[in-house]
Amino acid sequence: MSQTAMSETYDFLFKFLVIGNAGTGKSCLLHQFIEKKFKDDSNHTIGVEFGSKIINVGGKYVKLQIWDTAGQERFRSVTRSYYRGAAGALLVYDITSRETYNALTNWLTDARMLASQNIVIILCGNKKDLDADREVTFLEASRFAQENELMFLETSALTGENVEEAFVQCARKILNKIESGELDPERMGSGIQYGDAALRQLRSPHRAQAQSAQECGC
Amino acid sequence: MSFHGNNHNCQWSFKSSYFHSGLSSPVTESTHPGEASRGLHEEFRELREQPTDPQAQQEIINSIEEVYFSNDSFDIVKYELEKLPPVLSLQELEEYRDKLKQQQAAVSKKVADLILEKQPAYAKELERVTSLQTGLQLAAVICTNGRRHLNTAKEGFTQASLGLLANQRKRQLLIGLLKSLRTIKTLQRTDVRLSEMLEEEDYPGAIQLCLECQKAASTFKHYSCIRSGGIEQLDVALSKICKNFDISHYTKVQQAYRLLGKTQTAMDQLHMHFTQAIHNTVFQVVLGYVELCAGNTDTKFQKLQYKDLCTHITSDSYIPCLADLCKALWEVMLSYYRTMQWHETHDRDEGAALSSDGSNAVGAEETNFDRSYVKKKLEHGLSRIWQDVQLKVKTYLLGTDLSNFKYDDFIFVLDIISRLMQVGEEFCGSKSEVLQESIRKQSVNYFKNYHRTRLEELRMFLENETWELCPVKASFSILQLHEFKFMEQSRSPSVSPSKQPASAISTTVTLFEQYCNGGNPFEIQANNKDEETEDVLASNGYESDEQEKSAYQEYDSDSDVPEELKRDYVDEQTGDVPVKSISRETLKSRKRSDYSLNKVNAPILTNTTLNVIRLVGKYMQMMNILKPIAFDVIHFMSQLFDYYLYAVYTFFGRNDTFELTGLGLSSSRLRTTLNRIQESLIDLEVSADSTVTLTAVEERKEKVPSLHLSHLVVLTSGNTLYGLAERVVATESLVFLAEQFEFLQPHLDTVMPAAKKPFLQQFYSQTVSTASELRKPIYWIVAAKAIDYEQMLLLMANVKWDVKEIMSQHNIYVDSLLKEFEQFNRRLNEVSKRVRIPLPVSNILWEHCIRLANRTLVEGYANVKKCSNEGRALMQLDFQQFLMKLEKLTDIRPIPDKEFVETYIKAYYLTENDMERWIKEHREYSTKQLTNLVNVCLGSHINKKARQKLLAAIDDIDRPKR
């Protein structure tokens, strides 16, 4: 409770994205994750919103820096610029809307292309609480997930079911990949940073690189 | 005289020496008194034969050696023998013996006389002794008889009958006791009845009964127990009043006290109870939450002081506990309020009754006195109770560090407290200084932390920002944002900003009147909470507002709506005049823009800009609620702007190479501002080394790291005019942000304390107003790169200027330059398809390009080694061609630095004297350019001597420059 922005300690920082069609409940998922409350009359997001939270994954403190993107097409140009260097993403559809499910392939292509090939994505079938209006079955979605190497969960931002799990599972997978060497946190645009707690010196070269990249920009 | 003394001595010495053996024990010898007296007589007779002359006798006695009268028993014979002279003479001895005999005779005579003298007294005394002896013997006989009788009596009589007597007495006492016990039993039955009555809360009845009993059995001490028991119960009943006032209940209690004649005591007690109730209430509430959160029934908390207990409250339970605390305290205060009310109405009724009655004058006076005492006491109690309440709440408030609370939670705390202060105001007209101070403390602390987090977040937004246009409607106004809704509220003057539903009607109905018969103002607050949190949460970006929706949504259909209609829409929705006029102004200016080919006139802003604006809205809300820390908030708010401005500058405007050309790209004012921001806000060390010393950690805490532009922004490609689109979005969004700050200035000014107004003015005059000045350095970089000036210089160097005939065809470097400009124009158009380029921006771009081109032209002309009149004309022709074509490309008039070129070319024609004056008047040209001009003229109309003179003149004007 007592950490502040400046003094908080964590081992890793992961950049996360929340993507998916408009109205699938991306902001609500984020809100539920961070505030532990359901936001019942939220509106379309403008551009990009931001939230962060530190979670404990297998004994490691991981700070998630989550960019909640607008689902509407017209904001695509704004939101796309936030894809770069994301380590993980929640790809959200609405189980009561086949349209949002059908759009998944496009979102997935976008994410793999703009963010990184290695991005860890978890598919979230949101609005699990509205089972009566379901248009997408659990089975077909999980098949889709399998085919595309995604993790999969059905979530409910309303009840909070599986919300935290979605973020935690995604973070855990990234951690595993780091440990197995599959992901290199030092690589530029990996979306992963060491926290202040650990190995600050490892971050410095990255910083210097960033600086030089910026200098030649002018 | 001396004789008496000697006689006296002599008497006693005889007793001890002479009669020593004979009369030593008269009592034992008393049985033979006759014998003793007979012996004495004989001796006395012998003595009588001696000379009887008393005088002579006395002399003899006097002649006796002193030593014979000594009390000490000494050996007389030895003494006399020792006295004998060494030579014994018979005669002398005989003489001495006679003398001694004489002396002895005299003494014996004297003694015999004295004995004779006392003889009758002796006989008489002896007789008395004998009679006494007889009496004693008789008494002894009686005693013996008495003892014998007593013994008989004791044995035969007393022991049995005295035991009987004692038993009799005991019996009588027990009979008395039985009587008492019976009475007590009756009294106890009364006690039961009394308890029943107390149970039924019929205090007056109980007291009445009590009093009767008191009369009936006032002698019994037990009774006092019963009575005090009654009072205790009454006391308890009184204390109940504190928690939940009930008129009939209180009436009974009051009646009871009246019966006891203890109205005043009751009042004192009542106050004590209220104080106690406040303490108990808060303690119980807080304890309840602490134990609930601790999750065990550990009793250690019960022993804690309230103050320490307050530090055990967890952040999760802080708000519900505070609300409950206020609710409970409200109930106590309401009870007090109703107690006062009861006394008011009761006194009035009673007063009326008394005046109509008027019989019991003395009693009336007494009640009057009581009444005024009670009234005073109650009134005095008001502020005391409120003070108590404040202190308890203060302790609670400061017991927890709120700095990590969520924004809406914190606002909710403030709302509760401001409501509590309203209660205090109504309760006793208090300004609640204690609460205000504690709230201020918490607020500053909270806000510092809040701000730090926000700055950190802003840094992230800025570093991730790709400076893409965030699409909003042309009619967008910040007032449509949820964060600024409060400004509409505050437009009606002096409405409390803390969103209190009651505040609107508080002028007529106080909270106490409103909730007198139930309900709780803090309860309603709690119900409101949902609504409010949603509002504030919306400010976190989860919009819930219709207006706001309309500001962004249905963008595509927007273009179908005529401009006028859209404006009306704004008017309807916000009704805000200043905004409308601002937006109209900007609209007008935007309409003239060449490059607003698409997307009407929507303001240029980024996602980050929106974020900053929202933060500003939140900060302003905070300021409204927390007038006392308004300055701190504005200060922090200014840092948001500072940071944004600094970011835009470092991303797009900082360029060391061009800075050095010293063209005065950034004004000194802008430089001062940037330096100030860098010094006060930016922590430059952070990226340097991880081993930086821990010095000034506190100071660095207040600072934010310097920023890095997102890698996605490419500023190096000529095709995009070196990131012009991003530069425009960044710079213009800053200008837009500055406009919003300008718009908010009057509002900020009203909440700013007078003493701090200069800060605000300075912020506006030195920082906000410099926003548009950033355009110059930022766009200059584009202008400097967009046209290849170096290439042109090379082309110009190849031109032959000492031609002998007037040329009709301009040189190719002009075409090349124009081609560059055409390309620039094309690219500009392309960029403007992505981003609307406002007129001031395109003007600046064109101006810089043309200016740079013209300066390059002059530089090129100044490189010419040889030039003829015809060559000079060629220069004019070239320049005319350039101007003609250029004017087709751009609307900018007049062409900047046109004079600069023309004047330089024409100066060639000047005569020696004119040229000298001209040199002195045109210091805008460099020494090199002037020298070249003079050198080129040499040989045509300037001779060597004149050249020396002119060069000296150039040197002269050059010198002061250094």
Side-chain angles (χ1 to χ4, degrees):
Chain A
M1 262 337 255
S2 62
Q3 352 111 327
T4 61
M6 304 297 269
S7 64
E8 61 193 1
T9 51
Y10 48 83
D11 301 301
F12 289 102
L13 185 147
F14 294 167
K15 182 173 168 179
F16 263 45
L17 279 177
V18 189
I19 50 173
N21 266 22
T24 50
K26 294 179 293 301
S27 296
C28 288
L29 277 172
L30 180 60
H31 190 246
Q32 175 65 257
F33 175 58
I34 287 170
E35 312 272 333
K36 300 253 171 278
K37 273 190 266 187
F38 178 65
K39 168 105 206 66
D40 63 355
D41 63 340
S42 79
N43 232 306
H44 290 301
T45 305
I46 310 156
V48 179
E49 294 296 342
F50 168 79
S52 78
K53 186 173 176 171
I54 294 179
I55 53 172
N56 188 331
V57 185
K60 290 233 162 43
Y61 286 97
V62 177
K63 179 171 181 174
L64 298 184
Q65 199 180 77
I66 307 153
W67 294 96
D68 168 31
T69 62
Q72 287 171 298
E73 185 61 37
R74 66 197 180 94
F75 287 113
R76 204 55 57 86
S77 64
V78 176
T79 56
R80 280 178 168 204
S81 58
Y82 288 86
Y83 280 42
R84 216 356 233 271
L90 266 72
L91 175 54
V92 187
Y93 71 95
D94 175 357
I95 64 155
T96 70
S97 158
R98 179 149 296 276
E99 191 194 335
T100 65
Y101 177 77
N102 291 338
L104 287 176
T105 320
N106 287 336
W107 286 109
L108 204 58
T109 320
D110 256 18
R112 293 239 157 99
M113 193 176 71
L114 293 166
S116 122
Q117 277 299 319
N118 294 321
I119 187 169
V120 174
I121 301 173
I122 182 162
L123 181 65
C124 294
N126 196 27
K127 308 195 187 176
K128 188 173 192 259
D129 48 289
L130 299 176
D131 201 52
D133 304 324
R134 182 187 282 274
E135 284 182 7
V136 183
T137 65
F138 182 87
L139 210 65
E140 61 179 312
S142 68
R143 202 176 302 132
F144 175 84
Q146 223 163 27
E147 283 162 10
N148 292 282
E149 296 178 315
L150 308 173
M151 291 182 282
F152 175 55
L153 276 177
E154 281 195 342
T155 59
S156 167
L158 179 73
T159 66
E161 187 180 351
N162 278 343
V163 174
E164 173 122 14
E165 286 81 345
F167 286 93
V168 171
Q169 279 191 22
C170 195
R172 184 176 296 130
K173 183 135 183 198
I174 295 170
L175 268 180
N176 289 342
K177 282 191 167 188
I178 292 173
E179 275 160 21
S180 70
E182 201 173 330
L183 272 177
D184 178 15
E186 307 267 348
R187 195 178 51 81
M188 268 268 283
S190 66
I192 303 162
Q193 284 177 24
Y194 290 111
D196 284 353
L199 310 164
R200 181 195 272 239
Q201 66 273 21
L202 284 177
R203 233 174 79 189
S204 304
H206 169 72
R207 283 270 182 191
Q209 252 174 311
Q211 199 141 26
S212 61
Q214 198 231 332
E215 264 162 21
C216 63
C218 288
Chain B
M1 291 291 263
S2 65
F3 166 77
H4 277 291
N6 285 341
N7 193 23
H8 190 76
N9 277 348
C10 160
Q11 197 179 346
W12 286 108
S13 56
F14 271 108
K15 238 183 201 172
S16 56
S17 58
Y18 191 83
F19 292 111
H20 190 250
S21 49
L23 287 173
S24 60
S25 154
V27 177
T28 51
E29 285 168 34
S30 62
T31 38
H32 316 283
E35 280 176 8
S37 63
R38 216 180 303 131
L40 279 171
H41 272 286
E42 277 175 59
E43 273 206 274
F44 286 159
R45 211 169 295 132
E46 193 184 350
L47 284 174
R48 236 172 269 142
E49 290 161 14
Q50 303 296 321
T52 53
D53 180 18
Q55 189 119 26
Q57 247 177 18
Q58 189 59 46
E59 270 170 26
I60 296 168
I61 291 174
N62 286 349
S63 69
I64 299 172
E65 269 183 81
E66 196 63 25
V67 85
Y68 285 95
F69 292 102
S70 155
N71 271 342
D72 305 325
S73 55
F74 75 105
D75 195 346
I76 302 164
V77 184
K78 193 184 174 193
Y79 172 72
E80 287 302 335
L81 286 174
E82 279 169 1
K83 229 166 67 176
L84 289 176
V87 184
L88 296 172
S89 112
L90 186 62
Q91 201 183 344
E92 266 177 41
L93 277 173
E94 284 194 341
E95 262 173 45
Y96 189 66
R97 186 202 68 194
D98 290 343
K99 194 189 165 192
L100 282 176
K101 267 190 179 164
Q102 241 176 351
Q103 279 175 345
Q104 193 201 12
V107 170
S108 299
K109 174 105 172 47
K110 180 78 180 177
V111 169
D113 284 352
L114 286 170
I115 288 172
L116 279 178
E117 211 174 298
K118 297 288 176 190
Q119 172 69 21
Y122 171 76
K124 203 174 157 193
E125 202 57 40
L126 203 64
E127 207 170 296
R128 279 170 62 190
V129 167
T130 321
S131 82
L132 194 64
Q133 199 174 13
T134 327
L136 281 169
Q137 275 165 354
L138 187 68
V141 173
I142 292 171
C143 259
T144 320
N145 284 346
R147 278 208 181 125
R148 207 173 45 240
H149 287 309
L150 275 170
N151 273 339
T152 325
K154 190 182 166 190
E155 275 159 23
F157 184 70
T158 330
Q159 262 175 350
S161 58
L162 273 186
L164 212 65
L165 270 172
N167 283 344
Q168 168 69 10
R169 199 175 136 67
K170 266 188 201 160
R171 188 178 143 255
Q172 268 170 349
L173 282 170
L174 281 170
I175 289 168
L177 194 64
L178 189 66
K179 244 190 213 165
S180 306
L181 284 171
R182 281 202 186 112
T183 324
I184 290 163
K185 196 177 176 190
T186 323
L187 282 170
Q188 268 171 340
R189 254 185 243 125
T190 323
D191 187 34
V192 173
R193 172 69 196 126
L194 259 174
S195 301
E196 280 170 18
M197 287 173 102
L198 288 173
E199 208 77 343
E200 291 157 21
E201 301 187 336
D202 182 9
Y203 299 106
I207 297 284
Q208 198 81 51
L209 190 64
C210 227
L211 287 173
E212 278 164 26
C213 291
Q214 196 177 17
K215 269 178 216 157
S218 53
T219 46
F220 289 98
K221 284 173 191 166
H222 309 275
Y223 182 68
S224 65
C225 303
I226 297 163
R227 187 163 156 276
S228 68
I231 283 190
E232 262 164 39
Q233 198 138 4
L234 205 57
D235 213 35
V236 172
L238 192 62
S239 69
K240 272 190 212 156
I241 293 293
C242 303
K243 286 299 266 292
N244 205 343
F245 186 88
D246 177 85
I247 290 184
S248 63
H249 185 81
Y250 188 70
T251 314
K252 279 186 210 161
V253 175
Q254 273 295 331
Q255 254 176 331
Y257 273 109
R258 179 99 40 91
L259 280 172
L260 286 171
K262 290 193 166 183
T263 321
Q264 292 191 15
T265 323
M267 262 314 124
D268 300 337
Q269 283 296 107
L270 187 66
H271 277 94
M272 197 202 73
H273 282 311
F274 268 106
T275 313
Q276 195 62 35
I278 289 170
H279 179 81
N280 289 347
T281 308
V282 293
F283 191 84
Q284 284 309 322
V285 170
V286 176
L287 180 68
Y289 275 94
V290 168
E291 285 185 338
L292 189 73
C293 295
N296 54 20
T297 46
D298 199 346
T299 51
K300 69 173 178 181
F301 293 118
Q302 282 174 350
K303 287 167 196 147
L304 287 179
Q305 291 279 309
Y306 172 67
K307 199 181 165 198
D308 301 324
L309 194 65
C310 286
T311 61
H312 282 83
I313 284 281
T314 63
S315 332
D316 292 340
S317 56
Y318 186 83
I319 288 180
C321 181
L322 178 64
D324 276 1
L325 203 64
C326 288
K327 267 186 232 168
L329 287 171
W330 159 261
E331 260 156 30
V332 173
M333 285 190 282
L334 180 67
S335 294
Y336 195 86
Y337 176 81
R338 293 182 66 186
T339 308
M340 281 189 81
Q341 221 177 23
W342 183 89
H343 278 281
E344 225 164 82
T345 52
H346 194 73
D347 288 356
R348 209 168 36 236
D349 294 352
E350 209 170 60
L354 270 177
S355 62
S356 65
D357 184 8
S359 55
N360 200 346
V362 183
E365 203 170 289
E366 206 167 288
T367 22
N368 260 336
F369 177 76
D370 271 358
R371 210 151 48 205
S372 66
Y373 176 85
V374 165
K375 202 171 171 229
K376 258 189 208 153
K377 189 95 188 164
L378 281 171
E379 277 164 5
H380 180 69
L382 278 174
S383 51
R384 266 188 46 193
I385 284 175
W386 177 238
Q387 191 68 15
D388 272 1
V389 169
Q390 280 194 82
L391 287 174
K392 293 291 175 200
V393 175
K394 176 193 172 184
T395 311
Y396 181 80
L397 275 178
L398 298 182
T400 302
D401 179 12
L402 303 183
S403 56
N404 289 301
F405 269 45
K406 299 221 170 64
Y407 175 77
D408 47 325
D409 287 343
F410 186 71
I411 292 290
F412 187 57
V413 171
L414 295 185
D415 269 354
I416 292 180
I417 298 305
S418 87
R419 171 149 299 228
L420 191 63
M421 290 196 281
Q422 192 191 347
V423 169
E425 169 82 47
E426 287 174 17
F427 192 65
C428 61
S430 164
K431 291 278 165 274
S432 311
E433 286 85 357
V434 176
L435 287 178
Q436 277 189 352
E437 180 50 32
S438 31
I439 270 299
R440 214 193 76 84
K441 255 191 207 159
Q442 283 287 26
S443 302
V444 172
N445 183 34
Y446 177 80
F447 208 82
K448 257 195 189 146
N449 191 54
Y450 179 79
H451 178 62
R452 201 178 299 148
T453 319
R454 295 289 84 75
L455 270 184
E456 182 65 17
E457 209 175 283
L458 180 56
R459 180 173 77 94
M460 224 151 48
F461 266 96
L462 286 169
E463 291 198 328
N464 281 285
E465 180 60 72
T466 49
W467 308 100
E468 283 280 345
L469 191 67
C470 188
V472 290
K473 262 173 73 166
S475 58
F476 173 77
S477 141
I478 59 166
L479 288 182
Q480 294 159 345
L481 289 174
H482 197 91
E483 285 80 359
F484 289 90
K485 267 196 121 179
F486 70 94
M487 285 185 71
E488 288 169 56
Q489 288 175 352
S490 59
R491 228 174 284 143
S492 48
S494 78
V495 165
S496 167
S498 52
K499 296 184 242 164
Q500 294 168 356
S503 62
I505 43 168
S506 64
T507 43
T508 47
V509 185
T510 68
L511 287 174
F512 283 104
E513 286 163 22
Q514 203 180 342
Y515 298 106
C516 194
N517 295 312
N520 192 311
F522 297 98
E523 194 84 60
I524 286 192
Q525 186 105 13
N527 294 342
N528 273 3
K529 195 200 166 184
D530 289 338
E531 192 187 305
E532 273 176 27
T533 37
E534 270 152 36
D535 285 355
V536 183
L537 278 181
S539 64
N540 283 336
Y542 309 92
E543 298 75 31
S544 60
D545 188 48
E546 274 306 306
Q547 269 187 350
E548 188 166 353
K549 187 185 196 170
S550 61
Y552 304 109
Q553 322 283 302
E554 297 137 29
Y555 184 84
D556 300 331
S557 63
D558 188 47
S559 44
D560 305 332
V561 185
E563 195 74 351
E564 278 309 308
L565 267 183
K566 271 190 272 175
R567 266 186 238 158
D568 285 348
Y569 175 72
V570 177
D571 293 354
E572 257 170 43
Q573 292 294 318
T574 67
D576 199 85
V577 182
V579 169
K580 189 179 76 185
S581 59
I582 273 192
S583 61
R584 255 189 199 147
E585 235 170 68
T586 44
L587 281 178
K588 250 184 246 162
S589 69
R590 278 163 194 160
K591 261 189 177 172
R592 292 196 345 248
S593 169
D594 290 341
Y595 295 95
S596 56
L597 298 176
N598 66 348
K599 304 194 176 177
V600 235
N601 289 310
I604 294 173
L605 53 98
T606 65
N607 205 43
T608 310
T609 325
L610 264 181
N611 183 51
V612 173
I613 289 171
R614 284 191 173 137
L615 283 180
V616 168
K618 279 193 242 176
Y619 281 29
M620 283 176 77
Q621 279 178 358
M622 199 73 144
M623 219 153 57
N624 268 335
I625 297 161
L626 287 168
K627 293 238 160 67
I629 66 156
F631 169 70
D632 305 72
V633 179
I634 288 187
H635 177 71
F636 291 142
M637 195 193 284
S638 75
Q639 288 187 343
L640 297 177
F641 186 83
D642 286 351
Y643 203 36
Y644 195 90
L645 182 136
Y646 188 79
V648 170
Y649 172 74
T650 47
F651 291 167
F652 301 105
R654 187 149 67 186
N655 193 313
D656 296 335
T657 50
F658 289 107
E659 197 88 326
L660 288 174
T661 57
L663 286 170
L665 287 174
S666 31
S667 65
S668 67
R669 199 163 64 117
L670 180 59
R671 268 199 303 275
T672 314
T673 302
L674 289 166
N675 285 338
R676 176 187 65 73
I677 296 172
Q678 185 159 316
E679 267 165 37
S680 65
L681 190 65
I682 309 299
D683 181 12
L684 294 167
E685 287 173 38
V686 111
S687 54
D689 193 1
S690 60
T691 59
V692 254
T693 49
L694 289 167
T695 49
V697 169
E698 266 316 298
E699 197 185 314
R700 280 184 54 188
K701 252 187 179 176
E702 309 285 319
K703 292 187 170 187
V704 275
S706 54
L707 297 147
H708 306 287
L709 180 61
S710 165
H711 305 300
L712 296 182
V713 180
V714 179
L715 298 177
T716 47
S717 163
N719 290 330
T720 62
L721 279 179
Y722 307 92
L724 179 63
E726 286 84 0
R727 287 172 195 274
V728 167
V729 170
T731 315
E732 298 316 304
S733 71
L734 175 68
V735 172
F736 177 78
L737 190 61
E739 279 170 9
Q740 306 317 306
F741 267 87
E742 300 274 4
F743 164 61
L744 295 171
Q745 186 179 11
H747 187 88
L748 296 178
D749 202 54
T750 53
V751 286
M752 200 69 166
K756 305 280 189 182
K757 280 191 199 294
F759 169 82
L760 193 66
Q761 281 157 9
Q762 207 179 349
F763 170 63
Y764 272 96
S765 65
Q766 293 185 2
T767 309
V768 176
S769 63
T770 55
S772 58
E773 290 181 22
L774 265 182
R775 279 171 172 161
K776 206 173 169 188
I778 290 173
Y779 296 136
W780 198 88
I781 291 169
V782 176
K785 290 181 173 180
I787 310 272
D788 193 346
Y789 307 102
E790 289 296 318
Q791 175 65 22
M792 185 173 71
L793 270 182
L794 289 176
L795 288 174
M796 284 175 85
N798 295 331
V799 177
K800 203 171 167 330
W801 296 105
D802 51 349
V803 287
K804 294 295 173 226
E805 51 184 307
I806 297 287
M807 307 296 279
S808 60
Q809 183 62 40
H810 61 265
N811 283 301
I812 50 159
Y813 73 89
V814 176
D815 289 330
S816 150
L817 181 61
L818 282 168
K819 248 183 216 142
E820 290 272 313
F821 270 98
E822 273 161 18
Q823 191 195 33
F824 168 72
N825 190 32
R826 214 166 35 245
R827 286 172 173 172
L828 203 54
N829 274 318
E830 268 159 31
V831 169
S832 73
K833 277 174 196 155
R834 277 178 62 200
V835 177
R836 178 176 63 82
I837 296 178
L839 187 64
V841 178
S842 62
N843 281 348
I844 285 175
L845 281 168
W846 275 110
E847 187 195 316
H848 283 331
C849 284
I850 295 169
R851 227 180 261 283
L852 283 168
N854 283 342
R855 279 167 194 272
T856 315
L857 283 175
V858 170
E859 193 63 21
Y861 295 147
N863 285 336
V864 173
K865 294 282 182 297
K866 282 179 189 167
C867 185
S868 60
N869 280 336
E870 290 79 6
R872 220 62 189 175
L874 182 57
M875 286 180 186
Q876 279 176 283
L877 177 70
D878 286 349
F879 191 58
Q880 280 309 310
Q881 172 69 18
F882 173 60
L883 286 180
M884 202 178 68
K885 294 274 177 163
L886 187 65
E887 279 171 0
K888 282 178 186 157
L889 287 175
T890 177
D891 286 345
I892 192 168
R893 295 296 180 279
I895 297 294
D897 281 348
K898 179 181 161 193
E899 296 296 311
F900 185 76
V901 184
E902 284 179 339
T903 314
Y904 186 77
I905 297 171
K906 285 175 187 162
Y908 175 83
Y909 304 115
L910 295 174
T911 56
E912 183 192 324
N913 286 340
D914 285 344
M915 189 173 284
E916 192 181 348
R917 198 178 335 112
W918 185 88
I919 285 170
K920 282 173 184 157
E921 281 167 2
H922 288 83
R923 304 172 84 179
E924 67 266 31
Y925 298 102
S926 68
T927 310
K928 177 206 163 195
Q929 288 165 347
L930 292 174
T931 313
N932 182 270
L933 180 70
V934 174
N935 286 337
V936 163
C937 292
L938 180 72
S940 63
H941 54 283
I942 301 280
N943 55 29
K944 280 199 172 181
K945 197 183 156 200
R947 192 184 81 143
Q948 288 305 322
K949 194 178 154 199
L950 288 170
L951 288 178
I954 293 168
D955 257 10
D956 275 352
I957 58 163
D958 200 24
R959 222 165 268 139
K961 265 188 190 170
R962 285 179 198 149

